[in-house]
Amino acid sequence: MINDAALAEKPTLHGPTITLVPLAAHHTEPMWRFTADEETNRLTGTRQAFTQDQIRTWCATRAEQPDRLDLAVEDPATGRFLGELALNDLDRDNASASFRIALTPGSTGRGIGTEATRLLLRHAFEEVRLHRVHLEVWAFNERAARAYEKAGFILEGRARQAHHWAGEFHDVLHMAALRDEWLAARAQAY
Ligand SMILES: CC(C)(COP(=O)(O)OP(=O)(O)OC[C@H]1O[C@@H](n2cnc3c(N)ncnc32)[C@H](O)[C@@H]1OP(=O)(O)O)[C@@H](O)C(=O)NCCC(=O)NCCS
């Protein structure tokens, strides 16, 4: 049902202001600094601290993964690392996968997240031929929910007090994009 080659062979995706490139060993240094950022960890719910070696191994082995995509967001003019995203947790039987993204603190609030998410969804639906891409976002992360909505995700539900962080429970929003809806919206936009 899906096109496995479009997951196994890592693409480079070009947008108007950013490029998505396969995450690789040379991203280790900026990725490692990024994973130590407290505010990013609060927004993504990352509880684990990583060593530089763990990050190096992670970055260096992404190209070998046949059933997921891990891409770095780069500034095409300078090659600067702006963040990373993933299409993961592939469910082949149901042609669906999960999506996550995190930009470096200096890269947020300028439309980059929306652009990167749109590029990834286009690849997921047109090349991988997935039927559904879904995600979870903490309800307090309104910027992320808005960017996902702009990129084509639709709110499906709210899991009340499902996320515990720093002594408080928070609601979790479930959002998804469907291939047919996404293609129809894209056709209308052109
Ligand atoms: C989530 C993330 C990818 C979004 O990308 P981004 O480039 O910052 O977002 P964009 O600039 O494309 O869009 C943000 C939208 O939210 C709006 N926004 C910003 N802050 C907001 C807030 N506090 N409340 C509501 N809306 C807000 C912006 O105005 C914009 O909408 P608009 O174009 O309609 O005005 C990025 O902020 C990020 O990586 N943050 C850190 C990690 C994170 O939160 N990851 C997501 C975990 S689920």
Side-chain angles (χ1 to χ4, degrees):
M1 192 159 35
I2 68 162
N3 174 17
D4 287 289
L7 277 179
E9 292 158 24
K10 310 306 177 195
T12 294
L13 306 176
H14 300 277
T17 69
I18 54 162
T19 306
L20 306 184
V21 302
L23 194 66
H26 69 271
H27 294 112
T28 301
E29 182 62 33
M31 265 290 275
W32 184 59
R33 271 188 271 119
F34 180 38
T35 57
D37 183 71
E38 269 183 37
E39 177 61 1
T40 305
N41 289 341
R42 183 181 78 88
L43 293 170
T44 59
T46 304
R47 301 177 198 274
Q48 194 185 341
F50 298 97
T51 66
Q52 195 166 1
D53 272 351
Q54 285 173 316
I55 298 294
R56 184 175 298 108
T57 302
W58 175 260
C59 291
T61 54
R62 291 310 84 199
E64 303 158 12
Q65 313 301 315
D67 56 357
R68 54 179 289 151
L69 273 186
D70 296 271
L71 303 176
V73 185
E74 287 187 352
D75 178 337
T78 61
R80 197 159 62 91
F81 176 86
L82 305 176
E84 55 110 20
L85 54 76
L87 187 66
N88 59 352
D89 290 336
L90 174 69
D91 176 347
R92 205 173 250 105
D93 293 333
N94 295 305
S96 72
S98 180
F99 172 72
R100 66 170 168 76
I101 179 170
L103 301 180
T104 58
S107 308
T108 59
R110 289 188 274 133
I112 293 173
T114 304
E115 184 177 332
T117 304
R118 282 190 182 129
L119 281 173
L120 196 278
L121 282 182
R122 183 197 300 184
H123 185 81
F125 291 136
E126 294 187 0
E127 305 300 331
V128 186
R129 296 202 291 267
L130 287 175
H131 181 70
R132 174 184 162 89
V133 177
H134 53 93
L135 63 81
E136 288 186 355
V137 53
W138 319 139
F140 62 74
N141 195 349
E142 293 176 22
R143 180 178 62 193
R146 175 74 188 125
Y148 297 146
E149 185 189 17
K150 283 194 298 172
F153 282 90
I154 290 175
L155 180 65
E156 293 188 332
R158 184 180 194 104
R160 293 170 307 140
Q161 302 195 9
H163 175 59
H164 187 253
W165 187 267
E168 280 182 51
F169 287 97
H170 303 276
D171 292 356
V172 178
L173 306 182
H174 292 254
M175 303 181 82
L178 300 182
R179 182 171 196 269
D180 292 352
E181 278 174 4
W182 189 85
L183 291 175
R186 191 163 136 72
Q188 269 186 358
Y190 291 97

